Structure formats: structure tokens, C-alpha cells
Amino acid sequence: LLGHRRACVLWHGDATKLEPELEVSEGGGVPFGRLSRRSHVGRRQAAIEVGKPGGAEQTLTYVNRLLAFLFAKEESFERLMQLPEEPFKMSCGSQMCIHIQHISLDPG
């Protein structure tokens, strides 16, 4: 990817809505537009809804997780998959940043 490593790449698409009174749903999933109160997770997130082949149901996908799946090196990807199934923490502090080099390997 081109650009400066330190500069954020801000997402201008869909995002979750902050509703701090709502908790993570049973099974660990977070319904679209609903977040838990945990640190970076309780903030607005770059997200899209994706339809699965053959199904009408839309599923929330965090953009930083999708980009890691598509572009991260295998070693980094394996470490990221050990983290909880929630949006990745961004080292720059902006959860609307989608710069793959800003994804933190820190769980919390």
C-alpha cells in the first residue's frame, strides 16, 4: 500500500453506532450498530455488512479484520486470529482508521 506509515487511512463508509448501554450478545457476536463497553470496542468502528453466498442474512464485518484477512502476512494473521472476535485495536488510537500497519497485536 502506498502512503506514509504513520498517517491514518480514515474509513468514510458505514460504521457502527455507539450504544454503550448494550452488551455483547450471547455467543460473543456484536449485532450491527451495537457495541460493548470494553475499551476500544466501545467506540465507533469502521464496519460493513456482508451477505453470505446463498443467504439473505447480512453479517457485520469489521473493516480492520477483513483487511487483515486479505492482506496480512501469515505470521501476523495467525497472531491476530488469537485475539477476541471483536474489532482489532488500532495502535494510532482511531478505530475509524483502516491502515493495516496500525492494527495492534495487543489484545486490549
Side-chain angles (χ1 to χ4, degrees):
L1 299 176
L2 300 176
H4 194 278
R5 293 179 74 173
R6 287 188 171 165
C8 288
V9 177
L10 297 180
W11 178 253
H12 292 279
D14 292 340
T16 58
K17 295 177 184 174
L18 180 60
E19 296 184 38
E21 69 278 5
L22 298 170
E23 295 296 331
V24 174
S25 65
E26 186 176 321
V30 182
F32 190 72
R34 298 179 179 196
L35 303 171
S36 73
R37 293 183 179 177
R38 294 183 54 209
S39 61
H40 69 283
V41 180
R43 295 169 45 196
R44 195 165 171 238
Q45 306 289 331
I48 57 174
E49 287 185 285
V50 177
K52 295 184 179 180
E57 187 176 323
Q58 298 281 313
T59 304
L60 172 74
T61 301
Y62 297 109
V63 176
N64 60 15
R65 291 189 74 90
L66 178 62
L67 291 174
F69 175 74
L70 294 172
F71 301 111
K73 293 180 182 178
E74 188 172 343
E75 180 183 325
S76 296
F77 179 76
E78 288 174 7
R79 289 182 62 195
L80 289 169
M81 291 303 104
Q82 299 299 315
L83 298 175
E85 291 186 22
E86 57 192 27
F88 295 130
K89 180 179 178 180
M90 302 304 284
S91 61
C92 60
S94 173
Q95 289 304 118
M96 292 301 289
C97 175
I98 58 167
H99 194 309
I100 194 166
Q101 292 181 333
H102 291 190
I103 294 174
S104 173
L105 295 172
D106 178 19

